[in-house]
Amino acid sequence: MKTRTILVTGASRGIGRALSDRLANNGHVVVGVARGRDPTFPGELVPIDFGDDGAAAGALQALTKRYSFDGVVNNVGMAKLHRLGEINLSDVEEMLRLNIHSAILTTQSVLPSFMESRWGRIVNVTSLVTTGTALRSGYAAAKAALNSLTRTWAMELAETGITVNAVAPGPTETEMFRRNTPAGSEAEARFLSTIPMRRLGKPEEIAAAIAFFLSEEASYITGQVLFADGGGSVGALQSDSLWCEPHMERARLLSAAMASRKSRERQDTSVPLRRLRVAIAKKGPPEVHDKAAVLTKSCPVWPRFCSKT
Ligand SMILES: NC(=O)c1ccc[n+]([C@@H]2O[C@H](COP(=O)([O-])OP(=O)(O)OC[C@H]3O[C@@H](n4cnc5c(N)ncnc54)[C@H](OP(=O)(O)O)[C@@H]3O)[C@@H](O)[C@H]2O)c1
């Protein structure tokens, strides 16, 4: 296996750190970027703050004079949550700076050495939230832009030996995730309700997907977004595997209510949950809804639907 030199942003913790450990264990040279210092980092960890575009650009230029990079992972990112009515534009700008400006500046700094060697790997870390997650206006917009940059750069660089891909993690157990989603919280239950595997991802699992795109073998893949998300992007609402016993009981109640309406469509218990919810809210007999609501109180999955009925 050829030894490569890889630049990883946001490398000191979470996904970036798991990736750095993995790459170093596989014999690659890892240069990490973060604000803090960590003597246990498996390579050089360079202090750069992406909160300041000008200073970050200068520091990256200096770094590329010391290393000839083969790959870059634009992993640094941050999320602030807000509802539509409460969006604070300075928060949006901060998210764009951390998620987008950082990726552009970092990639621009390594591009000359990639072009010279006619080989390179660019991997952007985006997110499952681009498929639609409440409270993520600014964050999802920034990550969707990064998906778009992935495709644009893939087109521009397609004939150069440089590939550009993205990995979109689902909820992954890191400090960033825990800042907004404490263990055991309703927010965590809501997240898990959308993940067919019904568990959080591990940083190492996301790192494995990124490492694949960095590998020699991934040479014919470019412009792709790979969701590493426990199935979250496939459609949690349609997944029968989400149905715990209270769900099943609720479905049985619904089925009985619908059968009484003599509608062929509504007799079908495989009708997507969204339609079942609407049916409860608008047409289901109140006693059925009440009983189903009580039944589902103990379930970590159902409140997502029940609270809206
Ligand atoms: N965790 C999830 O559930 C999840 C899901 C989808 C996507 N993602 C994405 O995956 C990526 C990694 O997330 P994570 O959960 O591993 O994050 P994390 O645990 O919070 O780690 C963030 C890393 O970025 C560095 N960093 C933060 N602000 C920085 C700044 N201004 N300048 C330079 N470095 C900075 C941190 O080090 P310092 O604090 O020392 O600077 C740290 O190394 C992010 O792009 C995130 O949006 C995460």
Side-chain angles (χ1 to χ4, degrees):
M1 188 199 64
K2 199 160 176 188
T3 297
R4 298 288 187 183
T5 302
I6 313 290
L7 179 59
V8 181
T9 67
S12 63
R13 292 196 304 269
I15 293 167
R17 179 56 184 261
L19 175 69
S20 301
D21 288 339
R22 182 188 175 105
L23 293 171
N25 285 340
N26 288 338
H28 299 294
V29 176
V30 185
V31 180
V33 171
R35 289 165 303 181
R37 294 177 191 276
D38 179 356
T40 68
F41 189 76
E44 183 177 353
L45 184 63
V46 182
I48 295 178
D49 184 354
F50 283 108
D52 179 339
D53 288 341
L60 287 164
Q61 286 308 325
L63 195 56
T64 55
K65 292 201 169 67
R66 294 199 288 123
Y67 291 95
S68 174
F69 290 105
D70 303 301
V72 62
V73 181
N74 295 309
N75 168 70
V76 69
M78 61 93 78
K80 285 193 175 174
L81 311 195
H82 39 222
R83 289 185 189 285
L84 170 59
E86 296 154 7
I87 295 175
N88 176 333
L89 286 181
S90 67
D91 285 349
V92 174
E93 275 170 22
E94 197 181 343
M95 282 185 274
L96 291 175
R97 187 168 303 111
L98 254 286
N99 291 284
I100 299 295
H101 294 201
S102 67
I104 295 173
L105 291 174
T106 307
T107 307
Q108 283 178 334
S109 75
V110 296
L111 195 57
S113 99
F114 287 13
M115 294 297 265
E116 200 181 315
S117 58
R118 305 287 297 172
W119 198 96
R121 296 281 186 266
I122 300 168
V123 185
N124 296 322
V125 179
T126 66
S127 175
L128 171 62
V129 300
T130 58
T131 60
T133 304
L135 310 182
R136 303 306 193 275
S137 291
Y139 180 57
K143 292 302 194 185
L146 198 48
N147 281 345
S148 178
L149 289 176
T150 302
R151 296 193 190 94
T152 303
W153 297 346
M155 288 298 95
E156 291 183 9
L157 299 172
E159 294 179 63
T160 64
I162 301 166
T163 66
V164 190
N165 292 289
V167 170
T172 306
E173 180 111 41
T174 67
E175 277 186 43
M176 177 181 175
F177 179 77
R178 282 297 176 212
R179 253 194 312 278
N180 291 320
T181 322
S185 64
E186 202 191 318
E188 183 187 49
R190 262 202 307 275
F191 252 121
L192 291 178
S193 77
T194 66
I195 302 298
M197 284 191 189
R198 299 286 298 278
R199 68 171 177 83
L200 300 177
K202 300 183 191 117
E204 296 75 18
E205 292 175 305
I206 312 304
I210 299 170
F212 169 67
F213 281 138
L214 290 171
S215 71
E216 313 291 322
E217 292 85 351
S219 48
Y220 198 51
I221 305 171
T222 199
Q224 300 304 304
V225 178
L226 174 63
F227 285 85
D229 63 356
S233 53
V234 178
L237 298 184
Q238 278 74 42
S239 173
D240 282 349
S241 64
L242 283 176
W243 287 40
C244 63
E245 188 43 41
H247 285 79
M248 296 306 293
E249 181 58 17
R250 183 173 174 132
R252 283 192 282 273
L253 287 165
L254 282 165
S255 180
M258 287 168 185
S260 73
R261 291 183 170 274
K262 296 190 176 20
S263 154
R264 278 195 73 178
E265 186 196 33
R266 291 190 187 123
Q267 281 178 31
D268 180 4
T269 51
S270 71
V271 169
L273 284 176
R274 192 184 301 279
R275 257 193 286 162
L276 291 183
R277 176 166 61 73
V278 171
I280 299 168
K282 293 195 176 152
K283 307 195 178 79
E287 69 279 9
V288 170
H289 178 239
D290 290 350
K291 193 166 174 203
V294 170
L295 272 167
T296 55
K297 271 213 166 107
S298 58
C299 172
V301 173
W302 192 260
R304 173 189 164 86
F305 307 104
C306 200
S307 61
K308 291 182 184 163
T309 57

